[in-house]
Amino acid sequence: MSKVLTRIDGRVMTVTINRPEAMNALDPETQALMAEAFEAFAADDELWVAVVRGAGGRAFSAGGDIRAMRTALEGGAPYRIPDSGYGGLTSRFDLDKPVIAAVEGIAMGGGFEVALACDIVLASRNASFALPEPRIGAVAYAGGMHRLPRQIGMKRAMDLLLTGRAIGADQAEVWGLVNEVVEEGGMDAAIARWCEALCANAPLALRATKAAVREGIGLPVDEAIRRQDAGGYAAIEAMRASRDVVEGIMAFNEKRAPVWEGR
């Protein structure tokens, strides 16, 4: 059985980390397969939303595979990480399509960092989040040190980064790490509901939004807006020139649901 499973349902690709016996830890093979899956997702205009989740229900991902790291230290197979980062996502900065993390059970280290790299995070009631790297003499290399302060503020981020402690789904929701806490047995329905909501919108508009937020967040707000008005965001210009813009206006005036083409 493959360490990564992919499934396509209409406009949605689901990428499942399939190592439940290892708490879905990310060894080099798993990471390479995830990177390939997200490359395929990015390249396929018929796919609009991706979901990443872990098999088994006990773990989204326990992070980097420590056993594989030890093997590398002892002269065995090297512990390679794709250029696109942990899970093919944490160092990928050109994926403008929405990605949902469906977190059931633990999300630790690199697993938590994969979730941080997603746009929407759903968490089961039994989910927990931690960056325990300092406990093994390391740091949150896969974006945790940089994404976490931007997403929840410096003091809360330093709490998790410096102590390595875990927080549960409810606390993660209060801190803004989680969009929705899902009751036991409800994750599939929650994923379907969120995917339906996203796919009801024009895909190029979603991509333009994500690209503009990503590119503009590091700029002063006046500069970010001026750049938008001056055609400085390629994804927004692609949206403006699309047939979907015309379709959206016509559908609104004709009081019908739009039929998006993604072009």
Side-chain angles (χ1 to χ4, degrees):
M1 183 72 72
S2 176
K3 293 180 179 180
V4 174
L5 305 177
T6 59
R7 188 183 76 244
I8 295 174
D9 299 297
R11 301 293 190 179
V12 178
M13 171 183 273
T14 299
V15 179
T16 301
I17 308 166
N18 189 37
R19 301 189 70 208
E21 75 289 349
M23 303 296 280
N24 296 318
L26 301 172
D27 66 356
E29 181 183 358
T30 301
Q31 302 219 40
L33 290 169
M34 292 180 73
E36 289 175 12
F38 283 109
E39 286 286 345
F41 168 67
D44 191 338
D45 289 338
E46 299 303 312
L47 297 175
W48 297 356
V49 176
V51 177
V52 58
R53 63 191 310 186
R58 293 193 305 141
F60 174 72
S61 172
D65 190 319
I66 303 301
R67 291 182 179 177
M69 293 179 188
R70 177 178 175 176
T71 297
L73 288 174
E74 293 174 345
Y79 189 85
R80 291 195 176 95
I81 299 169
D83 291 341
S84 50
Y86 263 69
L89 283 177
T90 62
S91 294
R92 180 164 194 145
F93 305 109
D94 60 352
L95 181 57
D96 294 334
K97 299 179 183 182
V99 181
I100 298 171
V103 179
E104 297 175 278
I106 66 171
M108 297 183 69
F112 185 10
E113 289 168 298
V114 169
L116 286 172
C118 295
D119 306 295
I120 302 291
V121 178
L122 311 179
S124 62
R125 185 67 65 184
N126 73 333
S128 62
F129 302 84
L131 292 171
E133 285 89 344
R135 296 183 180 184
I136 60 167
V139 298
Y141 286 109
M145 293 184 291
H146 307 289
R147 285 194 172 95
L148 200 59
R150 287 166 168 79
Q151 293 185 20
I152 65 173
M154 184 63 72
K155 299 303 184 188
R156 288 170 171 171
M158 294 305 280
D159 173 348
L160 298 185
L161 288 164
L162 297 180
T163 68
R165 74 182 183 97
I167 59 171
D170 290 335
Q171 186 68 69
E173 184 180 34
V174 170
W175 282 9
L177 287 167
V178 167
N179 296 84
E180 180 182 346
V181 177
V182 179
E183 298 301 331
E184 184 178 354
M187 185 60 79
D188 288 346
I191 291 170
R193 177 163 35 81
W194 277 87
C195 288
E196 181 180 6
L198 293 175
C199 289
N201 299 318
L204 293 185
L206 296 185
R207 296 177 205 175
T209 298
K210 181 174 175 177
V213 169
R214 184 187 67 247
E215 295 173 30
I217 199 167
L219 302 174
V221 66
D222 57 338
E223 183 179 344
I225 293 172
R226 280 198 295 267
R227 180 176 174 185
Q228 171 184 302
D229 295 340
Y233 300 102
I236 289 181
E237 297 311 299
M239 177 207 71
R240 285 174 173 162
S242 71
R243 294 200 294 264
D244 279 353
V245 167
V246 176
E247 169 63 11
I249 294 170
M250 295 300 292
F252 180 84
N253 283 283
E254 294 169 6
K255 296 181 172 57
R256 61 175 175 82
V259 180
W260 306 122
E261 297 181 53
R263 56 180 59 87

